[in-house]
Amino acid sequence: MAPLLRVFRLFHQLEVPTQWSILPFSCSFQTQGVTFSDLIYRKSIQCISLTCVDHGLFPGSQNQQVRYYAARRGKREKMKTAKKLQKKEVEKKEFVPYHIRMAAKNIVIKPRRINVDSWLKTPPIDDVWRTKFYKKKIYSAMEAIEMHRETHHPTMFNEPEAILSSTIELDMRMSKKNRYLENFTGTVKIPYEFKMDNNKKVLVICNDQEDHVGALKAGAFKAGGSDVIKQIQTGELNVQDFDHVVAHTDMLAELGTIRGLMKKAFPNKTKGNLGTDIVPLVELFVQGIDYKSNRDEYELDFGWVDVPIGRLNMETNELQQNLYTVLNKVETHKPRGVTAPFITRVLLFSEPSMERFVIPHWKYLEGYEDPNNLKPEEVKLEQKDEDDDDDNTDEVEHTRDVL
């Protein structure tokens, strides 16, 4: 009866037209084809009101206001404080070893590189030895060059004018912990030039007509002033098509308008492509050797630079002078505040040969010492008597006497 009484009260509160015939106790009024018994069949008052609106029982009810009341004062604050009081259960993560985590990511973990051989190993005493038990032999630059000349002889690779390159391994750690040097680029002009396979395109931006003529004679691809800047703005000239951009310091104000278009090619004194003497700058970038450092993806403290130093048919003295210049140029990228040696190892190689010979780089750099020399009390020798069949993956290194 409670729902029925609520319905009666609802109808009595409304202004019912005279044509409606309401019989409270019989529950059988009828108006405009809708009986009250049909309305009682609805499950809620909301359904009844909606049905009456649809049939026009409540005139003007479609335009009535619908009000939504806010929650009680302080209810939201109480809910927030209740949530804060609830203790969050922290799930304890189990320790997963590094190699298992990397294996789950399909990352192959390689043995860490060792630039300097272990102090516990002894030098090899024969012409064939297992590198697992002995130190890697260090050759002089002259010996390494001569051995490469042998392999490139006409009777073998038949490339006597092959390019001789150097791999310079670096310690990329900075003064702060877990901070590593980003990859860097540079250009070095060696004292004894040699012919390279690539032809570099250099763009020169300056206003002096004499500098234009001198830059073109020095090997620049294009030289100009404000007209070149306008061509870059309109898109007629793309800076990315050039290997280097050299500019005069007087052009900095105008170059600022195209800084966004030039991006990394924007000249500055740190790179060495901004100055007042245009001709020497052009000669540096046209005749110099470009190099770029590479950093290992997983060993962030390990990096290297591959730089060609000449051709095998050049004089040995000339190749050594070029090597000296290259090493000292790369040394200038050493991070500030770092006391450890920046260059850790240098190897000479010449393609297509796969041989790489370690040379004593400390003889070409100031402040470097032989890392293999230790005090007598620090030297400890270990004798390992193992069968040759223990490890089939051991490397075997063969050395040759220099003719």
Side-chain angles (χ1 to χ4, degrees), residues 186-391:
T187 304
V188 56
K189 187 177 180 181
I190 55 178
Y192 298 97
E193 300 174 3
F194 59 96
K195 187 178 180 181
M196 297 285 290
D197 297 333
N198 57 343
N199 295 321
K200 294 186 290 185
K201 297 171 64 176
V202 179
L203 174 65
V204 179
I205 303 176
C206 59
N207 282 325
D208 193 353
Q209 294 296 329
E210 294 182 1
D211 289 338
H212 293 174
V213 176
L216 293 174
K217 288 183 179 180
F221 185 81
K222 186 178 179 62
S226 302
D227 55 335
V228 173
I229 296 177
K230 289 181 181 178
Q231 290 178 4
I232 296 174
Q233 287 178 331
T234 57
E236 298 178 16
L237 198 64
N238 189 0
V239 182
Q240 308 303 325
D241 296 336
F242 296 90
D243 298 304
H244 299 283
V245 178
V246 176
H248 197 280
T249 53
D250 296 340
M251 303 297 296
L252 274 179
E254 296 184 42
L255 286 172
T257 59
I258 57 172
R259 180 185 289 271
L261 297 174
M262 299 188 71
K263 298 180 181 179
K264 293 183 179 180
F266 193 84
N268 58 62
K269 291 185 178 181
T270 305
K271 295 179 181 178
N273 54 357
L274 180 68
T276 55
D277 296 333
I278 295 297
V279 175
L281 293 179
V282 174
E283 292 177 351
L284 169 63
F285 289 100
V286 171
Q287 303 172 6
I289 299 174
D290 299 336
Y291 60 87
K292 180 181 179 181
S293 69
N294 300 279
R295 196 173 67 180
D296 190 84
E297 185 178 359
Y298 306 112
E299 297 180 24
L300 301 180
D301 59 337
F302 178 81
W304 71 93
V305 179
D306 291 333
V307 189
I309 61 173
R311 292 185 178 271
L312 292 176
N313 60 343
M314 296 173 61
E315 296 292 334
T316 305
N317 266 344
E318 296 177 355
L319 294 173
Q320 289 185 349
Q321 287 293 327
N322 289 348
L323 176 63
Y324 173 83
T325 305
V326 168
L327 291 179
N328 283 273
K329 177 63 177 179
V330 175
E331 175 67 14
T332 59
H333 295 278
K334 180 178 180 179
R336 295 180 180 179
V338 178
T339 57
F342 182 52
I343 298 176
T344 55
R345 190 168 64 169
V346 178
L347 303 94
L348 295 184
F349 69 96
S350 180
E351 295 179 348
S353 174
M354 302 294 292
E355 291 180 302
R356 291 173 177 261
F357 301 108
V358 182
I359 63 170
H361 62 277
W362 52 88
K363 293 184 178 180
Y364 299 90
L365 297 164
E366 295 183 3
Y368 277 70
E369 297 180 357
D370 185 358
N372 296 310
N373 290 338
L374 289 179
K375 297 178 181 180
E377 58 270 15
E378 295 179 355
V379 177
K380 298 180 181 179
L381 301 179
E382 286 188 354
Q383 296 180 352
K384 299 181 180 179
D385 298 328
E386 296 183 3
D387 298 334
D388 294 340
D389 297 332
D390 288 346
D391 213 344

Side-chain angles (χ1 to χ4, degrees), residues 74-139:
K75 186 175 182 179
R76 292 190 179 92
E77 286 73 8
K78 290 179 181 179
M79 293 173 64
K80 290 180 181 179
T81 53
K83 288 182 179 179
K84 290 180 180 179
L85 293 176
Q86 292 178 356
K87 294 183 179 180
K88 296 182 179 179
E89 296 182 0
V90 180
E91 297 181 0
K92 294 183 179 180
K93 296 182 179 179
E94 297 182 358
F95 174 74
V96 180
Y98 178 73
H99 66 279
I100 296 178
R101 281 183 285 147
M102 294 297 104
K105 298 178 182 179
N106 295 326
I107 298 176
V108 179
I109 303 300
K110 299 179 181 179
R112 184 170 178 81
R113 295 178 179 87
I114 302 176
N115 294 347
V116 181
D117 289 335
S118 173
W119 310 125
L120 303 179
K121 294 181 180 180
T122 57
I125 57 176
D126 203 350
D127 59 349
V128 178
W129 66 89
R130 298 173 70 182
T131 56
K132 180 178 180 180
F133 303 130
Y134 296 96
K135 290 183 180 180
K136 191 174 183 65
K137 188 173 181 179
I138 299 175
Y139 301 92

